[in-house]
Amino acid sequence: MKASPYIARGARGFTLVELMASMLLLTLLMIVCVSALDSVRRSVTGVHNKTQQFREARQAFELITKTLSQATLNPYWDYYYKGSGSNQPPGGTTVTPPSAYIRFSELQFQTGAASVLLGGKATRASTPGHATFFQAPLGLTNDQNALGSLLNARGYAIQFGDDSTNRPPFLADYEIPVRHRFRLVEYRPPAEQAAPFQGNTIYTHPADWFRQDLEPATRTVAENILLLVLSPRVAAEAATAAKKPAWWIAPNYTYNSLDVDNSTPAVDKVTVDAAGSVAQGTQHLLPPLVVVTMVALDETSAARWAQEYGQSAPDYLSEADAPFTDASQHDADLARLEAWLERKRLNCTVFSSTVPLRNARWDSRTY
């Protein structure tokens, strides 16, 4: 039989075994490639989901740091009369010379335990961590938002509660249970309201100016914000020069611009000795820096944890042995809290930033 002109002499085809081996290798290669692509896809999806989960928290953190950096006191210098404890001379017919020349301000800056600052029914469980209240030139009014230099009061805290007040009206027709969560809230009254110098109002407590209309002027900024920690500090170089720790101005996280040493909420502790030397400390001064730390949970973890605590706020800081009452233990307290959350399989992320307060007016006499 004559060989086909299209097949070279001595050539042969693949055997069945060779074909099966080739197909097996090709299948294994495809499985490896598909597995690698799926792993990359799941990784990208996981990163995207995590970014989306904490996007609201990240935006809230940026809002706090941006607004806090604009805090102001607008201090000024004036005569101080020891007899009246103010810049007004004592009453009577006798002319009294001023005792000193010191700083004054009608504005206030406060940080500290949220349960203490908010007062009322606030507890460490329902309002964990810290809160801050201050004034800044944000320009919000009842009529318009274009007055950028107009002063506004601002405040931030964590509160526990349900979402009944934040729900759209149409949800009332559906049997959807309310959700109990920790939330970051913002106190944001218009410039016409809630300022320490409002009208002729005389407040008996240095926190009353924001307590008196706290609820109607408060809005929710973000859900599942577990903790807010605020640590007023001085710059490292200044602390080293003064031979003090950076957090010496607020060793227990409490800072009140009305106070000389921030140990108690006293309104006036100015002392003037016989030589006329004044001890005013940090009174009517902003802290140069504030270390802001925020802990946020993802919704899946928060929903699972909510099944445990129900409608009552858990005192998780006590469980985690992380009270955040001593500024020298800031990092240790945060590490204990993160370890506790990990043991409970709660997915969290920590935001932290050192915010310089650009309107702080410190000099060598303050140290």
Side-chain angles (χ1 to χ4, degrees):
M1 183 176 179
K2 187 176 181 182
S4 171
Y6 303 104
I7 301 177
R9 292 184 180 278
R12 66 184 183 85
F14 293 105
T15 64
L16 181 61
V17 174
E18 290 174 334
L19 288 174
M20 292 181 65
S22 300
M23 292 178 64
L24 178 61
L25 290 175
L26 181 61
T27 301
L28 291 175
L29 182 61
M30 290 180 65
I31 291 175
V32 171
C33 292
V34 170
S35 298
L37 290 173
D38 183 63
S39 177
V40 172
R41 181 191 62 80
R42 285 187 284 106
S43 177
V44 172
T45 302
V47 171
H48 175 73
N49 290 340
K50 188 173 183 179
T51 301
Q52 293 300 311
Q53 287 171 352
F54 294 114
R55 180 176 61 180
E56 186 181 45
R58 185 176 295 104
Q59 291 173 343
F61 186 74
E62 292 175 353
L63 173 65
I64 292 176
T65 55
K66 179 181 178 181
T67 308
L68 186 61
S69 68
Q70 301 178 68
T72 186
L73 289 179
N74 287 339
Y76 58 91
W77 292 84
D78 201 351
Y79 289 124
Y80 174 77
Y81 295 88
K82 189 175 181 179
S84 63
S86 69
N87 57 353
Q88 298 298 319
T93 58
T94 304
V95 177
T96 304
S99 306
Y101 196 61
I102 67 172
R103 288 185 307 270
F104 285 94
S105 176
E106 280 74 35
L107 306 183
Q108 293 180 28
F109 180 94
Q110 297 189 60
T111 65
S115 57
V116 175
L117 288 180
L118 297 177
K121 298 180 180 179
T123 64
R124 192 176 71 172
S126 63
T127 55
H130 303 152
T132 182
F133 293 91
F134 54 91
Q135 288 80 36
L138 303 174
L140 174 66
T141 72
N142 282 325
D143 299 322
Q144 56 184 309
N145 297 324
L147 301 177
S149 60
L150 200 62
L151 284 175
N152 284 111
R154 276 293 183 274
Y156 297 95
I158 305 298
Q159 289 185 345
F160 177 85
D162 61 51
D163 61 351
S164 57
T165 58
N166 298 321
R167 290 185 160 213
F170 68 85
L171 288 181
D173 299 331
Y174 300 90
E175 296 183 358
I176 301 176
V178 297
R179 301 190 310 167
H180 289 80
R181 296 288 191 275
F182 288 98
R183 296 176 176 86
L184 174 70
V185 296
E186 180 186 48
Y187 171 68
R188 60 190 313 268
E192 295 88 347
Q193 301 173 12
F197 51 83
Q198 181 180 357
N200 295 319
T201 303
I202 299 176
Y203 299 112
T204 58
H205 189 279
D208 285 347
W209 62 269
F210 57 82
R211 287 179 181 174
Q212 48 95 20
D213 64 345
L214 188 64
E215 291 300 325
T218 299
R219 65 160 185 160
T220 297
V221 176
E223 284 194 341
N224 302 327
I225 307 300
L226 194 61
L227 183 68
L228 178 65
V229 178
L230 301 151
S231 179
R233 303 185 181 188
V234 299
E237 300 81 2
T240 301
K243 297 182 180 180
K244 297 178 180 179
W247 38 261
W248 72 266
I249 59 173
N252 60 352
Y253 294 101
T254 299
Y255 190 97
N256 186 343
S257 63
L258 294 180
D259 270 351
V260 170
D261 57 12
N262 295 296
S263 58
T264 62
V267 173
D268 187 5
K269 296 195 298 183
V270 176
T271 59
V272 183
D273 61 18
S277 298
V278 181
Q280 196 175 5
T282 61
Q283 191 179 46
H284 301 310
L285 285 175
L286 290 171
L289 305 172
V290 178
V291 177
V292 182
T293 304
M294 193 179 79
V295 180
L297 294 178
D298 65 11
E299 173 56 27
T300 302
S301 297
R304 178 164 47 82
W305 192 28
Q307 295 178 356
E308 298 181 26
Y309 59 68
Q311 299 181 9
S312 300
D315 188 6
Y316 66 89
L317 287 180
S318 294
E319 295 181 39
D321 191 25
F324 291 98
T325 56
D326 183 353
S328 67
Q329 298 298 311
H330 176 276
D331 294 343
D333 289 343
L334 185 59
R336 283 193 291 268
L337 177 60
E338 290 184 271
W340 181 82
L341 292 171
E342 185 177 355
R343 288 195 299 271
K344 291 186 72 69
R345 296 181 295 109
L346 298 174
N347 184 29
C348 74
T349 188
V350 178
F351 300 89
S352 186
S353 177
T354 300
V355 180
L357 273 59
R358 60 194 184 200
N359 292 314
R361 299 289 185 264
W362 284 50
D363 55 40
S364 59
R365 289 174 294 180
T366 308
Y367 295 91

